[in-house]
Structures are given as structure tokens and as C-alpha cells.
Amino acid sequence: MELAYYSDYAVRLVNSEEPARGKDSLTSVEAVRELFGANQSAARRATDADVTRFRSVRARLRAVFEAADSGDETLAVDLLNSLLLEFPVSPQISGHDFRDDDGRPLWHMHLADHPSNATAGYAAIAAMGLAFHLTEHGVDRLGLCEAAPCHNAYLDTSTNRSRRYCSDRCATRANVAAYRARKRLEADRSEKTGLAAESAQHSIAVGER
């Protein structure tokens, strides 16, 4: 499993809340377990106490994305480093589930599950994955969706660093909103131009009397 995969852990956790919409799906231990995806062995360690702990880590991860999105690279790195110090990872070389044509293991780096509790394990993996993405691709590859009121986190993997939205749905909604705004502006300008023309014609008619 490539280390870049783990950065999705951070995105999933951050996007479990939509502050601008007043939505929060992280309200139960079942919701915590769903965040682990296929890693069910780690998910089974989650308890009710992890709900509050996960929310705390979520706020700190969102702060990393907010700093990166605002262009404050130093703050983003400092915030991420604090998470890495608090939740250290346990890297291991693994070859499970991956074989070459001769049946030999395809060795790769794997982040072992933290043994203490579900939150510590998840936070360690999420922070390390995000750190790998940041150092490999740049701080500006961490963003927040520009489609108000979404502001979900995303990782920009586009070739030209052009991503601005968390999903195609948000991109479409933003484009439609921008199109309608342009049409309203054009209509307003046309109306003002028409009124100005009528006013000028009236002035000429009055002057000719």
C-alpha cells in the first residue's frame, strides 16, 4: 500500500463535518468505525470515547487545510508537525496481498496500526499520509472547496494544479451560479443602457420644442 493512500484518511475525517451547513455525521461509534473503510481490524477498537477524541483531531486537521488554503505554508506545516509528534507512526515493510509474476512478495511501506486506541491509530495514519502528500506535492495541493457553502477538504492531484472544488457536483453548481450571475449582470447593464438611451432621447425631444 502506498503512503499516499493514507492521506485520504485525513480528508474523510475532515469532511465528516460541514460547519457552514451545520452538519456533522460524526455522532456515534458506528460513524467512527465507518471512517476506517476496509481497515476493519482497527475499526473494531473504536469505542464511544473515540467520538469526542475524533472530533478534536478533526478540528486540528481542518486547521491544516485552512492554513494551506490561505497560503500560510509555515502554519500548515507547524500544525501538521504537532500532530505527527503527538501521534507517531510505526512504519513497517509489508508484502501481504501483493505478488509479482513469480509469486514473490512486492515489498512496500505500510503504516502499522497504533495499539493504544482507535483515535491514536487513525490520527497517526491520517497525519502521516497528509505529511507525505504535502512534502511530495506541495502545500498548495491541500485545499478547501470554493463552492459556498461547501468548503470540504480535498487533495489536488491535477497535473496543472487547477483544482478548486471537492467534487464534480460542486464544480457544476459553482459554474451554474457563476453563469447566472453573469446573466444577471448583463441584464442589469442592458436595462441601464436602455434607460440611458430613453433619457437621452427625452432630453433631445425637450430641447427641440
Side-chain angles (χ1 to χ4, degrees):
M1 184 178 296
E2 296 182 0
L3 293 182
Y5 164 83
Y6 294 111
S7 58
D8 288 335
Y9 276 59
V11 174
R12 287 204 300 270
L13 178 53
V14 171
N15 291 345
S16 67
E17 180 186 30
E18 297 182 64
R21 290 186 171 125
K23 295 182 179 179
D24 187 350
S25 63
L26 194 55
T27 58
S28 66
V29 66
E30 288 77 17
V32 169
R33 288 170 179 161
E34 286 178 4
L35 288 170
F36 282 92
N39 193 353
Q40 290 303 302
S41 60
R44 283 192 289 270
R45 290 202 303 267
T47 66
D48 289 333
D50 285 298
V51 176
T52 300
R53 291 195 289 253
F54 260 66
R55 286 179 172 179
S56 176
V57 172
R58 179 179 64 188
R60 294 171 66 182
L61 286 170
R62 174 169 281 277
V64 175
F65 278 92
E66 289 174 343
D69 190 66
S70 67
D72 195 337
E73 295 190 15
T74 301
L75 178 58
V77 170
D78 287 345
L79 292 171
L80 191 50
N81 273 336
S82 69
L83 283 164
L84 291 170
L85 286 172
E86 185 174 346
F87 303 105
V89 298
S90 301
Q92 293 181 348
I93 300 175
S94 176
H96 65 81
D97 299 331
F98 295 94
R99 302 282 172 171
D100 62 17
D101 294 337
D102 296 323
R104 294 175 301 183
L106 293 175
W107 302 112
H108 58 279
M109 290 302 298
H110 175 79
L111 300 183
D113 295 332
H114 199 286
S116 61
N117 59 65
T119 302
Y122 194 100
I125 290 173
M128 186 60 196
L130 200 56
F132 177 82
H133 192 94
L134 185 152
T135 55
E136 183 73 11
H137 303 291
V139 179
D140 59 336
R141 292 294 188 133
L142 279 60
L144 294 174
C145 186
E146 293 184 10
C150 179
H151 301 306
N152 272 351
Y154 66 82
L155 299 171
D156 186 0
T157 56
S158 64
T159 56
N160 57 355
R161 299 175 181 264
S162 61
R163 185 170 179 178
R164 295 186 297 150
Y165 307 104
C166 68
S167 64
D168 291 340
R169 180 180 179 181
C170 277
T172 299
R173 190 173 71 249
N175 289 333
V176 169
Y179 172 80
R180 289 175 176 172
R182 287 195 303 271
K183 287 299 182 181
R184 284 195 298 269
L185 182 60
E186 291 173 2
D188 290 343
R189 287 176 177 171
S190 178
E191 183 178 355
K192 290 178 180 178
T193 300
L195 291 174
E198 289 179 6
S199 178
Q201 291 175 355
H202 178 73
S203 297
I204 293 172
V206 170
E208 291 176 346
R209 289 176 183 174

